[in-house]
Amino acid sequence: MKYLHPKYAFLLCLLFSFIGSANVYAQKEKKAHGIAKIVVEGEYEYMNTKELTEKCINLARTEAIKEVFGELIQSKTNLMDASIDGEEMSNFYTETLLSSTAEWLEDTKKPEVRIEIEDGKQVYIAEVWGKVREIEPVTIDLDWKILAGGTEDFCESNKFKHKERIYIKFKAPCDGYLVIYILDSHLQQANCLLPYKNNASGYMEIKGDKEYILFDPDFDRTAFPYNYVMTTSCPKEIDQVVLLFSPNKFTKSNTNGGDRLRPQFTSTVDFEKWLTNLRRKHKELLVDRTKWITIYKE
């Protein structure tokens, strides 16, 4: 009986391992097709043609992912609906769960967008074709709470009055790097709350097992003068808080400078593109998109 030289046996094992892992990877990729439409009314009336086109394409991609992973998403959405305030949140949670479960890899055909008139209103209709892939979950046991108006645990809430301050209590089991955004549903902007504007590194460094009170100058002197308050020009606004954490270094997206009253920001379209690319390159990145806040104008 002939035996392979150990060097060749090792190389052969590597080859089979690579082929096996490649097959598993390939099996997770699936073809997808989706259609979505936007009626230009309400919040969409404030968006220009480019923004409406990109938003409609992204919604069509969401519908395509839903077609592939629909049953899983529906069951999770039903579970989460029980803990939220009002039926209007269902669509937000569905989209959040989709973006946390799968990602749009690439277009296999150029998206098509057309504009029609229905009942006297302008309607954007997008159709997309591409490949999607299930996202491998990152399991890091983070403990974080959104606090409204104060830093004590009894202030934990997802409801804010107009001009009420926001704090976040955060703790991680390991050293790492943290970035936090709030996605403004009215302005279609991703506001970078952390790192602060005076931090040029592009991230906040975190020590494991240490509790942080974010945005509180009494806890962290570098937070001054960033005393964030939640504001809205609408009777009611629902925004998403997105937290990104990793034991490996990464930086926030490119942002505009903001001003004395506003944090750095980018468009939600550019934010989603950046996040998709970051998740592909950064496998240990945990993205938590499960928290939403409602701001009420009195």
Side-chain angles (χ1 to χ4, degrees):
M1 184 176 182
K2 293 184 179 181
Y3 294 90
L4 285 173
H5 188 282
K7 178 176 71 175
Y8 297 114
F10 175 72
L11 290 173
L12 194 59
C13 287
L14 279 180
L15 177 61
F16 281 125
S17 297
F18 175 78
I19 293 172
S21 62
N23 285 337
V24 170
Y25 186 85
Q27 287 172 1
K28 295 181 180 179
E29 293 185 12
K30 297 184 179 181
K31 293 182 179 180
H33 169 253
I35 300 175
K37 74 176 183 178
I38 288 178
V39 179
V40 183
E41 60 184 358
E43 64 181 284
Y44 296 119
E45 291 181 302
Y46 300 95
M47 300 172 67
N48 59 39
T49 300
K50 180 182 178 182
E51 291 171 333
L52 285 166
T53 298
E54 291 179 336
K55 179 65 175 177
C56 199
I57 289 173
N58 284 333
L59 287 175
R61 287 172 178 160
T62 298
E63 289 299 317
I65 293 173
K66 192 187 299 184
E67 286 295 319
V68 177
F69 299 101
E71 292 183 5
L72 175 63
I73 297 303
Q74 187 60 45
S75 62
K76 286 187 177 180
T77 302
N78 288 340
L79 286 173
M80 298 188 75
D81 276 347
S83 64
I84 61 180
D85 181 23
E87 295 181 1
E88 61 192 290
M89 290 294 290
S90 297
N91 290 335
F92 287 110
Y93 268 91
T94 300
E95 191 168 344
T96 297
L97 287 164
L98 283 167
S99 62
S100 300
T101 304
E103 62 182 345
W104 185 271
L105 285 177
E106 61 180 357
D107 295 325
T108 55
K109 181 180 176 182
K110 185 178 179 179
E112 295 180 0
V113 180
R114 65 183 186 273
I115 303 174
E116 298 181 355
I117 301 296
E118 294 182 6
D119 297 327
K121 296 178 180 178
Q122 198 174 46
V123 177
Y124 282 68
I125 302 173
E127 187 169 6
V128 297
W129 301 262
K131 292 181 181 179
V132 296
R133 179 178 65 197
E134 187 176 2
I135 295 174
E136 293 292 341
V138 178
T139 54
I140 302 175
D141 186 22
L142 299 181
D143 181 13
W144 66 292
K145 303 173 182 177
I146 296 175
L147 308 174
T151 59
E152 302 297 327
D153 284 344
F154 66 79
C155 296
E156 182 177 3
S157 177
N158 65 347
K159 298 178 181 179
F160 288 80
K161 298 175 184 177
H162 178 60
K163 294 186 177 181
E164 189 169 26
R165 288 186 60 176
I166 182 174
Y167 304 92
I168 290 180
K169 184 172 285 190
F170 177 87
K171 188 176 181 181
C174 59
D175 293 354
Y177 303 88
L178 179 65
V179 171
I180 298 176
Y181 287 82
I182 285 187
L183 305 191
D184 187 316
S185 62
H186 179 60
L187 297 177
Q188 296 296 308
Q189 290 180 349
N191 298 298
C192 183
L193 301 190
L194 200 73
Y196 304 117
K197 281 193 286 188
N198 59 11
N199 182 346
S201 68
Y203 56 79
M204 180 172 179
E205 195 163 355
I206 296 294
K207 295 297 181 184
D209 294 323
K210 178 180 177 180
E211 187 173 78
Y212 292 80
I213 309 291
L214 303 172
F215 322 140
D216 180 13
D218 292 334
F219 175 84
D220 179 6
R221 295 181 64 183
T222 65
F224 181 81
Y226 308 115
N227 304 327
Y228 297 127
V229 296
M230 298 293 95
T231 62
T232 181
S233 59
C234 309
K236 180 180 180 181
E237 180 178 325
I238 300 173
D239 296 336
Q240 184 183 32
V241 181
V242 182
L243 183 145
L244 297 87
F245 178 83
S246 175
N248 297 322
K249 190 179 294 185
F250 72 101
T251 60
K252 67 177 182 63
S253 66
N254 284 319
T255 52
N256 298 310
D259 54 37
R260 185 176 61 86
L261 299 176
R262 293 185 61 83
Q264 295 174 314
F265 66 92
T266 185
S267 71
T268 52
V269 171
D270 287 341
F271 171 80
E272 296 296 349
K273 289 179 181 177
W274 165 77
L275 184 57
T276 298
N277 290 331
L278 182 64
R279 294 180 92 159
R280 290 176 186 170
K281 300 172 184 176
H282 202 105
K283 299 303 181 184
E284 293 194 15
L285 178 70
L286 186 150
V287 181
D288 191 336
R289 306 187 65 158
T290 59
K291 296 187 189 297
W292 295 80
I293 60 172
T294 304
I295 309 166
Y296 297 90
K297 194 165 187 178
E298 297 179 331

